[in-house]
């Protein structure tokens, strides 16, 4: 049968093969060589779309971020995040084209998760390493800025995260399937030729099989013929087949079936676990560590009386501080015991005793020094202290609470009751806990505002406590009363009272906070036996006076106390209080036009360069060495709460303005003085730095405004100086803080701005006279008054002071109202020459001193007293004797004694002869030079 006909059934082929004559198969098959193009066709190259490439790159980065997030590796998360944003930027054209500008859901999800993760980690930033905390801060800043572009999409994601997560999973599966297909296709295509070759080798029996093996199989022919007959047109050959769409539909159906099966399995597992829990019971959380047995309260039929309750109280408190004690459970037990005692009506003494135990247990709940109380326990603490205080006030006639009462002598059954305890100590501990809460919280958070409002409750509690102490026997205890009054001072000294200023202006009559402070501080000054309380009370009193513009009272108080001499021996908290008082005193002096006093008060603080640290308002970064964690915790515990802090911009502005009003006239007066020393190094450095700049723009910061004002004052331009210092920008930064002190009296404004205008005009006038006095023979006083917008009497007063203090060499001509300058001051050229001559004299004296040192064997020489070699008198004598002996042995003559000018030139030293006396040579030559100089001087005089 011919191979060109279609193949029939097996029976037909068998019969036809029997009829036909056998055809011998060729023994040698021809070798077929494949060209390079055919080899490339066999291994088909996979072409992937640009979308798949970009999305796959983004998916890999997302997976990396998730892995690094498990390890809290912030630096690697930051790097991957930056790479992810770059990859998204590259994929943006494809997203706009194919996704119609819709941001991929997986990208939104990772941004939202990263934002949530960063916010969670930000709370634990203190426990991180330095690198991780720095990376976290950078990541937080970049993420906030970047997420602003996706606010709407992120808001939609947060509303319905599940919908976007499903889309995200489908996209991931598509990408994974594409990867799997791309990996599997080459393997299948490589395996197909091998199968065909095995078939060809196996088919060796029969004629038809030999024909098929030699000429190729009929299936190939049928497929090729069907391909040729199937496509009538070239266009149809490359169209998508109908079967491919069905295959895709079957794929999606399979995926849905798989997902449904997974959900059913998960649901069945949950049902099974629930059934097991119902059978075995619920799980209990087991706490680590050694578990202390919870003491049972009372039996049902047991009689409740005071000894039984006190015994149970001792039993509960005995576990306090031991390892494995559940502090929360201890508080609950004490509260339960208190309720049992109230039901049994055991009296106020038992209630106070249990109340003290509950307060101690709440304090113990946060054992760490820097761990703050939780809000619920803080509120419980406030309520419990208030309750005990109310109970003590209501029963003060027959209840005595004192720390001097011994435990054995306590009376809890009968009146009058006696309880061991101290309400003042409890309040001090409560106040410390309150300050600790404020220090640890973020000053810009809503929680901080809530906690600050608790200060009103604490102050009311303190007033009630003071009333209780003054009405009991404790009023005679000076130590307790001083502590109570100091606590009142501490809560009062930094608060501004407007009634004080109104009372000064006659707008209010009555007691103010200044009067209360005087009464409380006076008691502490008189009765306190410890130096610390008295010192801190004085500093609080100074601060309060200075804040309310009582300059003379504050100044006298600090001068009489002599605190400047002993403050260095005080503890750090007292030194911080001293720094705060000095700052407030300097600002008060500035308001009262005492510029020199303001500068002196602020100089020490500002020259240190650590204003924040010295005022306990923050920590400065240390470049050379980092602080240890313990040291940093200690320094943070000393910080002042945010609502008590001072404005650093106001402090610096007051200091620089005071330095400008003092330094600029001084520089103009001593312009050519070589021994001039700057009064304020900080201000002088700022001024020199700005003058060295080739290009100076308009001032922006507060420092630049003050320096620009100083440059204008150096030229005598008071109007420009004032405008640089007082303008809208500086009003918002600094001068609005002084607005409360401004008022009008007899149609005259009194305030800081008016004071500055007056001082700037006076100092600009002095600077102008110092700078340009060598130009004038005489100056008209009315003209100066017009230039500086001052009255004639003010100008006359300023010039007269300068003449009296010998700052200006001039005299006043009253009839003509002029200043006559005497020209006793050297000109600019003469001043420069005087400086050069001074420097030459200093150089000559230095060279003469060095020359004499070398001649006399001083430091740096090899003789006696020299540092080049240590001098020993015995060595010197031995060496001289050796020289004498050596001269006798070698017939070189005796060099002689050192005192006899080291030998005679005529000794046996050969023909070297007339070398003269070595010892006398220098003196003789010097004498000859002196004689020649004298002769020259005489000839010059005669001429």
């Amino acid at each position: 049968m011919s191979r060109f006909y279609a193949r029939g059934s097996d029976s037909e082929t068998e019969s036809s093969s029997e009829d036909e004559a056998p055809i011998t198969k060729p023994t040698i098959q021809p070798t077929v060589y494949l060209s390079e193009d055919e080899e490339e066709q066999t291994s088909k190259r996979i072409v992937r779309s640009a979308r798949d490439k970009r999305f796959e790159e983004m998916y890999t980065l997302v997976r990396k971020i998730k892995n690094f997030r498990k390890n809290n590796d912030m630096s690697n998360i930051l790097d991957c995040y930056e790479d992810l944003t770059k990859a998204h930027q590259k994929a943006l054209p494809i997203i706009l084209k194919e996704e119609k500008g819709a941001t991929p859901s997986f990208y939104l999800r990772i941004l939202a998760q990263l934002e949530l993760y960063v916010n969670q980690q930000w709370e634990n930033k203190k426990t991180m390493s330095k690198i991780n905390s720095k990376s976290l801060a950078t990541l937080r800043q970049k993420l906030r800025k970047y997420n602003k572009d996706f606010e709407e999409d992120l808001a939609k994601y947060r509303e319905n995260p599940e919908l976007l997560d499903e889309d995200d999973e489908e996209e991931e599966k598509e990408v994974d399937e594409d990867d799997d297909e791309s990996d599997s296709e080459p393997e299948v295509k490589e395996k197909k030729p091998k199968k065909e070759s095995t078939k060809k080798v196996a088919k060796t029996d029969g004629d038809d099989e030999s024909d098929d093996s030699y000429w190729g199989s009929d299936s190939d022919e049928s497929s090729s013929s069907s391909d040729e007959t199937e496509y009538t047109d070239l266009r149809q050959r490359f169209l998508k087949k109908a079967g491919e769409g069905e295959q895709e539909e079957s794929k999606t159906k399979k995926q849905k079936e798989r997902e449904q099966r997974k959900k059913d399995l998960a649901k069945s597992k949950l049902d099974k676990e629930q059934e097991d829990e119902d059978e075995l019971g619920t799980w209990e959380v087991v706490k680590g560590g050694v578990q202390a047995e919870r003491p049972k309260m009372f039996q049902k039929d047991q009689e409740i009386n005071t000894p039984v309750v006190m015994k149970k109280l001792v039993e509960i408190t005995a576990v306090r501080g031991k390892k494995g004690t559940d502090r929360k459970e201890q508080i609950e037990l004490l509260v339960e015991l208190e309720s049992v005692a109230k039901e049994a009506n055991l009296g106020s003494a038992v209630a106070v005793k249990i109340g003290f135990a509950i307060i101690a247990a709440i304090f113990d709940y946060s054992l760490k020094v820097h761990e703050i109380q939780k809000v619920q326990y803080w509120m419980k603490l406030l309520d419990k202290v208030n309750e005990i205080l109310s109970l003590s006030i209501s029963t003060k006639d027959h209840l005595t609470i004192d720390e001097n009462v011994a435990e054995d002598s306590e009376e809890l059954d009968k009146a009058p009751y006696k309880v061991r305890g101290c309400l003042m100590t409890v309040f001090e501990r409560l106040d410390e806990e309150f300050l600790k809460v404020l220090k640890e919280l973020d000053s810009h958070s809503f929680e901080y505002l809530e906690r600050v409002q608790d200060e009103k409750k604490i102050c009311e509690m303190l007033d009630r406590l003071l009333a209780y102490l003054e009405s009991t026997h404790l009023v005679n205890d000076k130590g307790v009363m001083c502590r109570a009054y100091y606590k009142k001072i501490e809560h009062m000294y930094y608060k501004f009272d407007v009634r004080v200023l109104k009372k000064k202006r006659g707008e209010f009559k009555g007691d103010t906070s200044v009067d209360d402070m005087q009464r409380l501080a006076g008691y502490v000054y008189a009765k306190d036996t410890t130096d610390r309380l008295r010192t801190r009370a004085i500093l609080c009193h100074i601060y309060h006076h200075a804040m309310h513009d009582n300059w003379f009272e504050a100044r006298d108080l600090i001068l009489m106390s002599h605190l400047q001499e002993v403050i260095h021996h005080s503890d750090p908290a007292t030194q911080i209080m001293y720094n705060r008082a000095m700052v407030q005193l300097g600002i008060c002096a500035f308001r009262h036009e005492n510029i020199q006093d303001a500068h002196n008060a602020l100089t020490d603080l500002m020259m240190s360069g650590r204003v924040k640290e010295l005022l306990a308002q923050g920590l400065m970064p240390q470049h050379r060495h980092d602080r240890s964690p313990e040291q940093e915790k200690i320094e943070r515990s000393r910080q002042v709460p945010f609502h008590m802090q001072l404005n650093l911009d106001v402090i610096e502005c007051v200091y620089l303005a005071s330095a400008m009003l003092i330094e600029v006239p001084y520089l103009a007066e001593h312009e050519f003085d070589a021994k001039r020393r700057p009064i304020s190094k900080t201000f002088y450095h700022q001024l020199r730095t700005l003058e060295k700049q080739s290009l100076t723009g308009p001032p922006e910061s507060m420092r630049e405004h003050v320096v620009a004002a100083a440059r204008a004052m150096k030229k005598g331009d008071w109007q420009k100086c004032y405008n640089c210092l007082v303008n809208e920008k500086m009003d918002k930064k600094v001068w609005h803080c002084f607005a409360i002190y401004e008022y009008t009296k007899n149609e005259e404004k009194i305030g800081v701005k008016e004071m500055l205008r007056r001082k700037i005009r006076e100092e600009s006038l002095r600077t102008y006279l110092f700078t340009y006095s060598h130009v004038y023979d005489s100056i008209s006083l009315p003209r100066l008054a017009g230039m500086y917008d001052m009255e004639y009497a003010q100008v006359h007063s300023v010039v007269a002071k300068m003449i009296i203090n010998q700052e200006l060499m001039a005299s006043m001509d009253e009839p003509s109202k002029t200043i006559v300058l005497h020209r006793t001051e050297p000109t600019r050229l003469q001043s420069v020459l005087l400086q050069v001559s001074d420097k030459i004299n200093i150089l000559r004296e230095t060279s003469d001193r060095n020359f004499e040192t070398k001649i006399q064997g001083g430091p740096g020489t090899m003789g006696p007293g020299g540092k080049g070699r240590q001098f020993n008198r015995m060595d010197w004598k031995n060496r001289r004797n050796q020289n004498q002996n050596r001269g006798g042995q070698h017939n070189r003559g005796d060099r002689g004694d050192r005192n006899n000018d080291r030998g005679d030139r005529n000794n046996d030293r050969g023909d070297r002869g007339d070398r003269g006396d070595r010892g006398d040579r220098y003196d003789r030559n010097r004498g000859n030079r002196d004689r020649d100089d004298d002769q020259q001087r005489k000839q010059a005089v005669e001429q």
Side-chain angles (χ1 to χ4, degrees):
M1 182 178 178
S2 176
R3 64 183 182 84
F4 295 104
Y5 292 98
R7 195 165 182 177
S9 62
D10 294 338
S11 61
E12 290 176 356
T13 53
E14 287 174 2
S15 60
S16 61
S17 62
E18 289 174 358
D19 296 337
E20 289 178 357
I23 299 170
T24 57
K25 180 183 176 182
T27 55
I28 300 171
Q29 293 182 358
T31 307
V32 180
Y33 296 97
L34 295 174
S35 63
E36 292 180 359
D37 297 335
E38 290 174 344
E39 285 179 1
E40 288 178 0
Q41 287 176 3
T42 55
S43 60
K44 208 172 197 179
R45 191 177 66 175
I46 301 150
V47 179
R48 300 180 64 192
S49 63
R51 177 185 177 278
D52 295 341
K53 289 180 181 177
R54 296 298 180 197
F55 276 38
E56 185 184 357
E57 183 183 357
M58 292 168 72
Y59 273 123
T60 52
L61 289 169
V62 167
R63 291 190 195 103
K64 284 183 180 179
I65 288 173
K66 288 179 180 178
N67 290 332
F68 290 132
R69 201 170 59 189
K70 292 175 184 176
N71 303 327
N72 293 332
D73 193 350
M74 292 300 167
S75 58
N76 283 326
I77 290 174
L78 178 61
D79 296 339
C80 290
Y81 169 74
E82 290 173 350
D83 295 340
L84 183 61
T85 53
K86 290 176 184 176
H88 178 261
Q89 192 66 26
K90 289 178 184 177
L92 204 56
I94 298 166
I95 293 170
L96 292 172
K97 186 178 178 181
E98 298 186 10
E99 306 290 334
K100 296 181 181 178
T103 309
S105 56
F106 73 90
Y107 191 68
L108 291 175
R109 184 176 67 173
I110 194 63
L111 289 179
Q113 289 176 355
L114 265 178
E115 187 176 2
L116 181 63
Y117 173 73
V118 166
N119 291 334
Q120 290 174 353
Q121 293 297 320
W122 188 258
E123 297 175 359
N124 304 324
K125 187 185 174 186
K126 295 177 182 177
T127 59
M128 290 184 180
S129 64
K130 192 174 181 181
I131 298 170
N132 274 352
S133 61
K134 189 176 180 181
S135 302
L136 178 63
T138 310
L139 179 62
R140 183 171 180 247
Q141 187 178 4
K142 288 187 176 182
L143 198 62
R144 278 184 176 180
K145 191 175 180 181
Y146 188 73
N147 283 2
K148 287 180 182 177
D149 300 335
F150 303 95
E151 282 183 358
E152 296 179 0
D153 297 334
L154 287 171
K156 290 178 184 177
Y157 172 77
R158 292 187 185 102
E159 289 174 3
N160 298 315
E162 296 177 358
L163 297 176
L164 290 175
D165 287 346
E166 289 176 3
D167 299 339
D168 189 10
E169 288 174 3
E170 289 176 6
E171 286 180 4
E172 285 182 353
K173 284 176 182 177
E174 286 177 8
V175 173
D176 293 339
E177 284 174 4
D178 293 340
D179 295 340
D180 296 339
E181 287 174 6
S182 63
D183 295 338
S184 61
E185 278 176 4
E187 294 176 2
V188 173
K189 288 176 182 176
E190 288 173 2
K191 288 177 181 177
K192 279 181 181 177
K194 292 181 181 179
K195 287 180 181 177
E196 289 174 3
S197 62
T198 53
K199 285 178 183 176
K200 289 176 185 177
V201 174
K203 291 179 182 179
T204 54
D205 299 334
D207 299 331
D208 293 328
E209 290 176 359
S210 63
D211 291 339
D212 293 340
S213 63
Y214 185 77
W215 296 102
S217 65
D218 294 336
S219 61
D220 295 338
E221 291 175 2
S222 62
S223 63
S224 62
S225 63
S226 63
D227 289 342
E228 290 173 0
T229 56
E230 187 178 355
Y231 301 110
T232 57
D233 190 7
L234 186 65
R235 178 174 172 274
Q236 291 181 359
R237 185 182 182 90
F238 295 99
L239 284 175
K240 190 175 182 181
K241 294 178 183 178
E244 292 180 1
E246 295 175 0
Q247 290 177 359
E248 290 179 359
E249 289 178 3
S250 63
K251 279 183 182 179
T252 53
K253 284 180 182 178
K254 287 178 182 178
Q255 286 177 4
K256 288 180 181 177
E257 288 174 2
R258 282 194 215 110
E259 289 175 1
Q260 190 64 32
R261 263 186 252 122
K262 286 179 182 177
K263 288 179 182 177
D264 295 339
L265 282 170
K267 193 173 182 182
S268 62
K269 281 182 181 178
L270 285 172
D271 294 338
K272 196 172 182 181
E273 288 175 0
Q274 190 68 32
E275 290 174 3
D276 294 341
E277 284 180 4
D278 294 338
E279 291 176 2
L280 300 173
T282 56
W283 290 91
E284 293 182 1
V285 179
V286 180
K287 296 176 183 178
V290 180
Q291 298 297 319
E293 293 184 3
R294 177 170 177 168
K296 296 177 182 178
M297 196 54 65
F298 299 107
Q299 296 178 1
K300 290 183 179 179
D301 302 332
Q302 188 175 2
E303 183 184 357
I304 306 299
N305 52 26
T306 303
V308 172
V309 171
M310 287 298 104
K311 185 178 179 183
K312 182 59 65 176
L313 179 64
V314 171
E315 183 183 344
I316 294 170
T317 54
V319 195
R320 179 184 172 190
K322 290 186 178 179
K323 189 176 180 182
T325 305
D326 190 351
R327 298 189 291 273
K328 185 178 178 181
E329 185 183 351
Q330 199 173 20
I331 295 170
E332 292 172 357
L333 284 171
L334 289 169
V335 171
E336 186 180 349
L337 182 64
E338 186 185 29
S339 62
V340 170
K342 282 182 180 177
E343 289 174 2
N345 293 324
L346 297 180
S348 57
V350 175
V352 169
K353 186 73 176 175
I354 299 173
F356 277 128
I358 292 172
I359 290 171
I362 295 173
F363 281 135
D364 287 348
Y365 189 77
S366 56
L367 285 176
K368 295 180 181 178
V369 179
H370 307 286
E371 185 182 354
I372 62 173
Q373 289 277 0
K374 292 182 180 178
V375 178
Q376 51 183 352
Y377 291 106
W378 169 251
M379 300 309 296
K380 282 182 183 178
L381 187 62
L382 277 178
D383 296 339
K384 184 52 66 178
V385 174
N386 251 327
E387 184 183 340
I388 290 178
L389 188 58
S390 302
L391 187 62
S392 303
I393 292 171
S394 61
T395 59
K396 62 182 178 182
D397 296 331
H398 54 273
L399 176 64
T400 303
I401 302 173
D402 195 352
E403 60 184 349
N404 296 322
V405 175
E407 290 184 2
D408 299 336
S409 59
E410 282 184 332
E411 186 62 47
L412 303 175
D413 292 332
K414 301 175 184 178
Y417 301 109
K418 290 183 180 180
V419 179
R420 177 181 173 82
C422 183
L423 287 170
M424 191 63 229
T425 305
V426 170
F427 182 81
E428 285 175 345
R429 182 72 192 276
L430 175 70
D431 192 51
E432 288 176 9
E433 199 67 34
F434 174 67
L435 290 176
K436 188 167 74 172
V437 168
L438 293 180
K439 289 172 187 176
E440 294 295 328
L441 288 175
D442 183 10
S443 56
H444 302 287
S445 63
F446 184 71
E447 191 178 358
Y448 184 87
L449 294 176
E450 286 184 343
R451 295 283 73 79
V452 165
Q453 292 172 5
D454 293 337
E455 189 179 9
K456 187 178 179 183
K457 299 177 184 177
I458 291 174
C459 290
E460 291 174 357
M461 198 186 300
L462 180 58
D463 292 336
R464 293 169 60 201
L465 178 61
L466 282 171
Y468 169 75
L469 293 174
E470 289 170 354
S471 62
T472 59
H473 70 285
L474 294 172
V475 71
N476 299 320
D477 192 342
K478 296 177 183 178
V480 173
M481 294 305 297
C482 285
R483 285 159 58 194
Y485 284 151
Y486 173 70
K487 275 295 166 190
K488 182 67 177 175
I489 290 170
E490 216 173 29
H491 280 275
M492 217 172 105
Y493 81 97
Y494 63 90
K495 295 175 183 174
F496 188 80
D497 189 3
V498 186
R499 297 175 300 172
V500 178
L501 299 182
K502 288 182 178 179
K503 189 175 182 180
K504 284 183 180 180
R505 300 164 194 167
E507 300 173 6
F508 176 78
K509 293 181 180 179
D511 289 340
T512 60
S513 63
V514 172
D515 301 323
D516 295 338
M517 181 71 74
Q518 183 65 39
R519 178 177 60 83
L520 297 171
Y523 184 89
V524 176
Y525 300 156
K527 307 290 184 181
D528 182 52
T529 55
T530 62
D531 290 337
R532 186 175 183 274
L533 276 185
R534 191 189 302 112
T535 303
R536 291 178 70 85
I538 289 170
L539 293 172
C540 292
H541 202 182
I542 292 166
Y543 188 101
H544 198 70
H545 271 313
M547 188 171 61
H548 289 93
D549 225 20
N550 297 329
W551 156 247
F552 294 105
E553 289 86 347
R555 184 198 63 182
D556 295 344
L557 196 56
I558 199 166
L559 289 176
M560 288 188 296
S561 62
H562 298 284
L563 285 176
Q564 303 94 324
E565 302 168 4
V566 296
I567 196 63
H568 301 291
H569 304 291
S570 304
D571 58 302
T574 309
Q575 291 184 21
I576 289 166
M577 183 76 75
Y578 174 79
N579 293 334
R580 286 166 58 80
M582 290 303 295
V583 165
Q584 201 64 255
L585 191 66
I587 295 172
C588 180
F590 184 77
R591 287 195 300 267
H592 279 261
E593 206 171 333
N594 297 314
I595 305 299
Q596 188 67 49
D597 292 329
H599 184 266
N600 293 339
L602 297 174
T603 298
D604 293 337
L605 193 70
M606 298 301 296
M607 289 286 286
S608 65
R610 298 183 300 121
V611 183
K612 256 189 174 183
E613 286 188 4
L614 294 175
L615 293 176
Q617 295 184 188
L619 297 179
M620 298 292 288
Q622 291 187 352
H623 301 290
R624 294 184 180 176
H625 57 278
D626 294 332
R627 299 180 185 89
S628 63
E630 295 177 359
Q631 187 180 357
E632 189 171 350
K633 283 180 181 178
I634 292 168
E635 289 184 5
R636 286 193 183 280
S637 65
R638 295 174 185 153
Q639 300 299 299
V640 177
F642 181 74
H643 68 284
M644 296 170 60
Q645 291 182 1
L646 297 167
N647 193 333
L648 297 178
D649 288 336
V650 172
I651 298 169
E652 189 173 8
C653 183
V654 167
Y655 172 72
L656 291 176
S658 305
M660 178 192 73
L661 294 172
I662 297 169
E663 188 82 28
V664 173
Y666 176 79
L667 291 174
E669 184 183 2
H670 302 87
E671 187 176 1
F672 302 104
D673 189 358
K675 298 179 181 179
R676 179 187 65 194
R677 294 289 181 270
I679 298 171
S680 172
K681 291 183 179 179
T682 310
F683 174 76
Y684 188 76
H685 175 70
Q686 296 286 342
L687 189 62
R688 286 285 174 248
T689 305
L690 191 68
E691 286 179 351
K692 287 178 183 177
Q693 293 179 1
S694 56
L695 236 87
T696 54
E700 295 180 0
S701 65
M702 182 267 301
R703 288 182 185 177
E704 291 177 358
H705 276 88
V706 178
V707 175
R711 293 185 69 183
M713 183 183 281
K714 284 182 74 175
K715 298 175 184 176
D717 190 351
W718 77 271
Q719 189 65 50
K720 188 177 178 181
C721 175
Y722 180 76
N723 291 335
C724 287
L725 206 57
V726 180
N727 50 49
E728 187 178 354
K729 192 180 286 187
M730 290 291 286
D731 282 344
K732 291 178 181 177
K733 284 186 177 181
V734 177
W735 305 125
H736 74 279
C737 300
F738 296 91
I740 197 168
Y741 300 99
E742 295 178 358
Y743 64 98
T744 306
K745 185 178 181 181
N746 299 329
E747 297 181 357
E748 182 184 355
K749 288 184 178 180
I750 297 174
V752 174
K753 293 180 184 178
E754 294 301 319
M755 181 272 296
L756 276 173
R757 181 188 289 269
R758 186 167 57 254
K759 291 298 292 182
I760 285 171
R761 285 186 296 194
E762 290 179 5
E763 298 303 328
S764 298
L765 173 60
R766 295 180 72 241
T767 306
Y768 183 81
L769 291 174
F770 284 135
T771 307
Y772 300 108
S773 60
H774 64 279
V775 178
Y776 293 99
D777 290 328
S778 62
I779 308 174
S780 173
L781 289 176
R783 186 179 177 187
L784 287 175
M787 285 173 62
Y788 289 95
D789 195 14
M790 296 169 67
E791 295 180 1
Y792 174 79
Q794 291 178 343
V795 175
H796 188 279
S797 172
V798 171
V799 174
K801 284 180 183 176
M802 293 175 68
I803 293 172
I804 290 168
N805 295 331
Q806 296 183 358
E807 295 174 345
L808 187 67
M809 297 301 173
S811 58
M812 303 283 288
D813 189 7
E814 293 294 341
S816 61
K817 296 181 179 180
T818 57
I819 310 168
V820 180
L821 300 168
H822 295 320
R823 294 279 183 184
T824 55
E825 299 172 359
T827 62
R828 189 167 292 187
L829 180 60
Q830 291 172 346
S831 301
V832 172
L833 289 173
L834 286 172
Q835 290 180 17
V836 172
S837 64
D838 290 339
K839 290 179 180 178
I840 290 171
N841 286 330
I842 292 168
L843 184 64
R844 184 183 60 80
E845 290 173 1
T846 307
S847 62
D848 287 347
R849 198 179 301 114
N850 292 337
F851 186 72
E852 289 175 1
T853 305
K854 288 181 180 179
I855 294 304
Q856 295 174 2
T861 62
M862 298 297 293
K867 290 185 180 179
R869 181 175 177 180
Q870 189 175 3
F871 175 68
N872 190 341
R873 191 169 296 277
M874 293 301 296
D875 292 343
W876 188 270
K877 289 181 177 180
N878 294 334
R879 189 170 58 185
R880 187 184 61 187
N881 295 332
Q882 288 175 5
N883 290 335
Q884 290 176 358
N885 296 331
R886 186 175 58 192
Q889 290 173 1
H890 296 282
N891 296 325
R892 292 183 63 185
D894 189 5
R895 291 191 180 184
D897 193 3
R898 189 175 64 174
N899 297 327
N900 293 328
D901 296 331
R902 302 186 69 178
D904 190 3
R905 63 180 177 180
N906 294 322
N907 280 342
D908 298 335
R909 296 194 61 187
D911 294 334
R912 295 173 65 184
D914 300 331
R915 293 186 62 185
D917 192 356
R918 292 187 181 183
D920 196 38
R921 183 174 57 185
Y922 174 75
D923 295 334
R924 187 171 60 251
N925 293 336
R926 189 172 181 179
N928 293 334
R929 283 200 301 270
D930 291 340
R931 282 196 300 273
D932 293 340
D933 291 340
D934 292 338
Q935 289 177 3
Q936 288 176 4
R937 286 196 198 97
K938 288 179 182 178
Q939 289 176 3
V941 169
E942 289 174 357
Q943 289 177 0

